[in-house]
Structure formats: C-alpha cells, structure tokens
Amino acid sequence: LTPEAGGFGYLRLGKDEGRVFVVTFVLFLLGGLYALTAMILVGALAGVAGAANAGLGVLVGLAAILGAAALAVWLAVRLSLAAPITFAEKRIALFDSFALTRGRFWPLLGMAIIVVVMALIISLLASIVILPLQLLSGLQWGGFGAEPDWDAFRAVMDVRNPWVIANALAEAVVYALVVGVVIDGTLQRRHGI
C-alpha cells in the first residue's frame, strides 16, 4: 500500500505494522473476553431455567447461544475496519470503526461472507494441486484414528527432503493468495466498493 516506504520486497516492520498489531491483539483479547463472558452467561441462564424445568433449560440455553452468536457477528462486523482505519490514519483507532460502519452492517456482512467463500474455494483448489507434493514428501504420514508414529513424522519433516521444501513453498503461495483475497475484501469494505 505504501511502495515509497521501501523495504525488501516492500515488506518492512515499522510503526504502521506495530499499530496494526496492537489493534489486532486488543481485538483478539476483547473477543476472548466476550467469548468467556458469553459462555458464563449462557451457562447461568440455562442452569437457572433448567433448575425449574429441564425442557425450558434447553430452550433458554439454545436461545442464549444463538443470541450470543448473533451479537458476536454484529460486533465482528462493526469492528472489522479497526485495523484498516488504524493503518490509514496512522494512529490507534480501535473503536472508530463503529462510526464508519453505522448503517452498513448488511453490505459488510455480505462482503465478509463472499471473502470467506472465495478464500475457501482457493484453499480447496490449492489443496488439490498441493496433494501430490504432500504425498511425494511423505507429509501424509498418518491416517485417521491411527496411533501417531513420531519417528516417521520427524523423518518427513526433514528439511533436506526437496519435496518438503517444494510443499512448503507451494503452501506459502496459497497462503499469500488467501491473505490477498481477505485483505482485498477488507480494503473494498473500507473504501465502500
């Protein structure tokens, strides 16, 4: 986004990256705090209702879970522009996203769904392409329900194996594509495209 800033391959670690990291980390902590609080409240509501009537406890618990999930989605959408705003304005702007997203919840949610679907499609198609590399490198070392063979795992993770290196490079390209789709979707949301 800022090619004039320089850096090897336009990659650098500076104040912008630090601010975005701080905002992302705080949002992660807030998300964890919300999840913990929601679980406690859902459990308490379901427990109190279940003490009166078991069927009522199930219904109240289900309603509370759905409500907590809906609130989590709403908060995630409303806070989704915190990192782009922080980057654009060169200051930590944690809750400025609320003002910018006001009245735009549904289009932003739709864009987020499209971005997730596109990232899943890229990942699925890439996994089909990468599967032969994984098989050649031996990375498919265990089956479902099989007892893990840690010696075999260490052997296939040996970086002297050229197929392991080829697989890692292919997965890095796929990850870059997925991140590009997600970031492009975020930028489109930021600029209202």
Side-chain angles (χ1 to χ4, degrees):
L1 295 175
T2 55
E4 68 279 357
F8 177 72
Y10 301 109
L11 298 175
R12 64 189 194 95
L13 192 58
K15 291 179 184 176
D16 289 333
E17 292 77 15
R19 284 187 292 267
V20 169
F21 173 78
V22 167
V23 166
T24 304
F25 185 69
V26 169
L27 289 175
F28 173 76
L29 291 177
L30 289 174
L33 182 63
Y34 173 80
L36 179 65
T37 304
M39 285 190 297
I40 290 170
L41 289 175
V42 166
L45 288 171
V48 168
N53 181 330
L56 181 63
V58 170
L59 287 176
V60 168
L62 182 60
I65 288 171
L66 292 175
L71 181 59
V73 168
W74 182 81
L75 286 170
V77 169
R78 294 300 304 271
L79 290 169
S80 65
L81 298 180
I85 292 170
T86 296
F87 179 80
E89 295 186 1
K90 299 198 177 304
R91 65 180 180 83
I92 293 179
L94 191 61
F95 297 108
D96 291 12
S97 180
F98 276 101
L100 197 60
T101 59
R102 183 177 294 119
R104 295 182 178 95
F105 173 80
W106 293 109
L108 289 170
L109 180 63
M111 179 63 83
I113 291 170
I114 290 170
V115 166
V116 168
V117 168
M118 288 175 60
L120 288 174
I121 289 171
I122 290 171
S123 297
L124 177 66
L125 293 175
S127 68
I128 294 169
V129 173
I130 291 176
L131 182 63
L133 288 174
Q134 288 180 338
L135 293 173
L136 288 170
S137 67
L139 289 177
Q140 300 292 333
W141 62 280
F144 290 111
E147 187 67 31
D149 181 359
W150 296 110
D151 291 331
F153 178 73
R154 279 189 286 280
V156 300
M157 295 306 289
D158 186 1
V159 293
R160 293 173 291 186
N161 182 345
W163 294 111
V164 170
I165 295 169
N167 181 66
L169 291 173
E171 288 189 13
V173 168
V174 171
Y175 183 71
L177 289 172
V178 170
V179 168
V181 166
V182 171
I183 289 175
D184 185 49
T186 301
L187 290 175
Q188 287 179 9
R189 284 184 278 163
R190 168 75 168 106
H191 296 292
I193 299 172

